[in-house]
Amino acid sequence: MGFIPFLASVAILEHPWPMLASGITALTVDAFVRRKPTIRVWFNTAQYMLAVGLGTIVYQNLGGTVSLDEFSFSLIPFAALVLTFFVVNHGSVSLAVSFSTRGVSVREAWGRISGSALLTDLLASTLAILLAFLYVKLQLLGLAVIIFPLFLARQLYQRNLQLQEELEEKLELMVKAMEARRPLHLGPFTPSLGIRSCIGRELRLSTKDLDR
């Protein structure tokens, strides 16, 4: 849910402060909290700074206002900010996954990264408007008010992730059960599933079709 404060900061802080804030936050969390490998720390820091920085430029060029004293909302600049942020964010990660994973195209990586979470991301991004409004009007008290909606959105993300993991575990158990019942001379399903995935990629099937 870190992208919500990043988007809100674009409406209340002058460039390049939103970009710097997102970079420092990503660097601190990934390096000291999540303890990710160094290359991932620098990649995440760079891609967040790029996404927020470009989003800020697009937002301001389309007439979006930036103020700590007065709240003003314009739909087109904000929508362009959100679109730019997610295109850069998901696009950079998709490129990294495609380059580092053999046989995975950018299109497939994009589908797996965005997938069903894209709609949730877009809906959650509207909380950035509320966050900016509450901070301008109530300062620190406004941040306290927004904690509950952010907590609900976080719970929704976790629930979606949990459902996806449970589905994958059940599919894996089904494949193992089918392998155990098949005659030995027919061989296991696992290699055939890999071959099917390769064929599907060559046929340029969508991510949903590959997962079926």
Side-chain angles (χ1 to χ4, degrees):
M1 300 304 296
F3 68 88
I4 294 177
F6 295 162
L7 295 177
S9 68
V10 174
I12 59 179
L13 299 175
E14 291 289 345
H15 183 71
W17 292 111
M19 182 177 66
L20 294 176
S22 64
I24 293 172
T25 302
L27 178 63
T28 303
V29 172
D30 286 347
F32 301 106
V33 179
R34 298 177 179 173
R35 298 185 180 277
K36 292 186 176 181
T38 303
I39 188 171
R40 291 190 179 184
V41 171
W42 288 115
F43 173 80
N44 287 339
T45 301
Q47 63 98 352
Y48 270 119
M49 292 184 68
L50 181 62
V52 174
L54 291 178
T56 302
I57 294 173
V58 171
Y59 175 80
Q60 293 183 356
N61 285 338
L62 290 177
T65 58
V66 180
S67 176
L68 275 170
D69 302 318
E70 184 178 354
F71 175 79
S72 178
F73 172 73
S74 299
L75 178 60
I76 293 179
F78 178 76
L81 163 64
V82 172
L83 180 62
T84 302
F85 177 85
F86 283 119
V87 167
V88 175
N89 178 265
H90 290 188
S92 59
V93 176
S94 299
L95 286 171
V97 170
S98 178
F99 290 151
S100 61
T101 306
R102 185 177 180 181
V104 177
S105 65
V106 176
R107 178 180 170 222
E108 180 182 348
W110 177 279
R112 294 188 182 280
I113 292 169
S114 302
S116 60
L118 182 59
L119 179 59
T120 308
D121 288 342
L122 294 177
L123 291 176
S125 64
T126 58
L127 291 175
I129 304 171
L130 180 60
L131 177 58
F133 171 79
L134 291 175
Y135 185 79
V136 170
K137 298 297 182 181
L138 303 176
Q139 301 297 316
L140 294 179
L141 179 60
L143 297 180
V145 173
I146 197 66
I147 287 177
F148 183 67
L150 287 176
F151 175 77
L152 291 180
R154 181 175 180 272
Q155 290 298 106
L156 178 60
Y157 271 95
Q158 286 188 328
R159 182 57 180 167
N160 287 338
L161 180 60
Q162 182 181 357
L163 289 175
Q164 182 178 356
E165 290 177 347
E166 290 177 354
L167 177 60
E168 291 176 355
E169 289 177 358
K170 290 179 180 178
L171 289 174
E172 185 176 354
L173 289 175
M174 287 176 60
V175 170
K176 289 181 178 179
M178 295 174 70
E179 288 179 357
R181 294 180 181 180
R182 282 166 60 92
L184 294 178
H185 67 275
L186 292 178
F189 273 101
T190 306
S192 64
L193 290 175
I195 293 172
R196 288 170 56 188
S197 297
C198 292
I199 294 174
R201 292 190 182 104
E202 289 297 326
L203 294 175
R204 300 183 182 278
L205 297 180
S206 65
T207 305
K208 291 183 179 180
D209 291 332
L210 286 173
D211 291 335
R212 288 178 182 174

